[in-house]
């Protein structure tokens, strides 16, 4: 999912957590650890994430959950190599889409037997 795929200008923390696939407390923790995450806060202190914020969260998710990096290593990667991470993440997403499509084809072939 690219930022252009997101249709709203702002997402509340609940929606952002669902889009990323983590809990709200996890997002709050990541916000305290990664200075790149700076959601807008309303007068009542409600967090609002932009599509760009959500893309940053997706990168952090990729580093921590998919690649399995420790927090310090993920921070270092964000600081030194963000554009390369984005490219790798896009490739992984495309490969997953291809895998899903191939699995559907295999299921369809098995039904024909």
């Amino acid at each position: 999912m690219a930022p252009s795929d997101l249709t709203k200008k702002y997402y509340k923390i609940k929606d952002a957590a669902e889009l990323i696939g983590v809990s709200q407390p996890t997002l709050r923790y990541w916000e305290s650890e990664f200075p790149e995450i700076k959601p807008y806060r309303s007068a009542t202190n409600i967090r609002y994430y932009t599509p760009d914020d959500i893309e940053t969260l997706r990168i952090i998710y990729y580093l921590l959950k998919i690649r399995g990096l420790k927090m310090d290593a993920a921070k270092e990667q964000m600081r030194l190599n963000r554009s390369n991470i984005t490219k790798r993440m896009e490739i992984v997403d495309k490969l997953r889409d291809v895998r899903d499509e191939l699995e559907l084809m295999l299921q369809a072939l098995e039904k024909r037997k």
Side-chain angles (χ1 to χ4, degrees):
M1 164 190 355
S4 59
D5 295 337
L6 301 171
T7 56
K8 296 180 183 177
K9 188 174 180 179
Y10 292 105
Y11 293 83
K12 289 184 178 181
I13 191 168
K14 178 184 176 201
D15 300 325
E18 287 176 8
L19 286 168
I20 304 303
V22 298
S23 66
Q24 293 176 41
T26 298
L27 288 188
R28 286 187 206 96
Y29 175 68
W30 287 356
E31 187 180 321
S32 71
E33 292 291 322
F34 291 91
E36 297 89 350
I37 306 171
K38 295 177 186 159
Y40 166 77
R41 288 180 185 247
S42 69
T44 56
N45 211 27
I46 296 173
R47 291 171 170 86
Y48 290 97
Y49 295 88
T50 66
D52 288 336
D53 292 331
I54 291 173
E55 180 64 15
T56 300
L57 293 168
R58 285 187 65 239
I59 292 169
I60 293 168
Y61 179 88
Y62 169 77
L63 292 172
L64 296 173
K65 304 294 185 182
I66 306 293
R67 293 213 27 224
L69 296 179
K70 302 282 186 204
M71 187 65 69
D72 289 338
K75 289 178 189 179
E76 186 74 8
Q77 287 291 308
M78 286 292 287
R79 191 174 64 77
L80 295 176
N81 205 11
R82 182 172 174 155
S83 64
N84 193 29
I85 295 166
T86 302
K87 289 176 189 173
R88 286 182 182 188
M89 197 173 68
E90 288 171 1
I91 291 168
V92 168
D93 286 346
K94 287 179 185 177
L95 288 172
R96 283 194 177 134
D97 290 345
V98 169
R99 181 192 65 199
D100 293 345
E101 208 171 303
L102 289 171
E103 286 177 353
L104 288 173
M105 288 179 192
L106 182 60
Q107 290 171 3
L109 285 172
E110 288 177 357
K111 286 181 182 178
R112 294 183 77 191
K113 290 182 180 180

